Amino acid sequence: VQLQASGGGLVQAGGSLRVSCVASGSIFSINVMGWYRQAPGKQRELVAKISSGGSTNYADSVKGRFTISRDDAKNTVYLQMNSLKPEDTAVYYCNADGRSSISLGGSRYYNVWGQGTQVTVSS
């Protein structure tokens, strides 16, 4: 299973941006999909995640500004980012876990990361 992120870019403070991440490969199921970010010199941190049942969790710093959603028919997770601040500048990584299909009708657990997409918010 692989993840491909897209949609990052440069935006002014107060602006909006949406990043997307699509999963592909021998997907049997996708459980939790999430977005993390890593700013220069800082550790990677959770931004938001969404379960297969639609439950969501957000970092306190983005609550009320960011919205995570998923389209299971497209194996895609989105992160809508509004009211962006310079401190939101980071590389955004998507993550997903679940089970992949293997031979003879079996499945095995996976936990994979996308390649990251840069989000830069100018002041």
Side-chain angles (χ1 to χ4, degrees):
V1 177
Q2 302 84 37
L3 298 180
Q4 180 69 44
S6 62
L10 174 64
V11 64
Q12 288 188 331
S16 297
L17 207 59
R18 188 177 82 157
V19 290
S20 304
C21 178
V22 59
S24 62
S26 301
I27 298 170
F28 181 79
S29 65
I30 304 176
N31 184 22
V32 177
M33 304 186 84
W35 286 96
Y36 293 72
R37 65 187 181 187
Q38 187 167 21
K42 295 188 177 181
Q43 289 188 329
R44 190 173 297 188
E45 63 176 0
L46 172 70
V47 176
K49 60 182 179 180
I50 183 168
S51 71
S52 57
S55 297
T56 58
N57 290 91
Y58 294 92
D60 288 342
S61 60
V62 306
K63 284 180 180 177
R65 300 188 297 122
F66 290 11
T67 302
I68 190 170
S69 62
R70 60 191 285 171
D71 184 337
D72 290 334
K74 297 180 179 180
N75 293 332
T76 301
V77 62
Y78 305 96
L79 185 68
Q80 177 66 44
M81 302 180 286
N82 299 328
S83 302
L84 281 161
K85 304 175 181 180
E87 50 264 44
D88 294 318
T89 296
V91 177
Y92 283 69
Y93 297 91
C94 53
N95 173 266
D97 75 346
R99 301 198 70 83
S100 60
S101 301
I102 59 175
S103 60
L104 303 178
S107 64
R108 63 184 176 190
Y109 177 78
Y110 66 85
N111 187 312
V112 294
W113 292 88
Q115 84 284 6
T117 185
Q118 177 71 46
V119 172
T120 302
V121 185
S122 63
S123 58

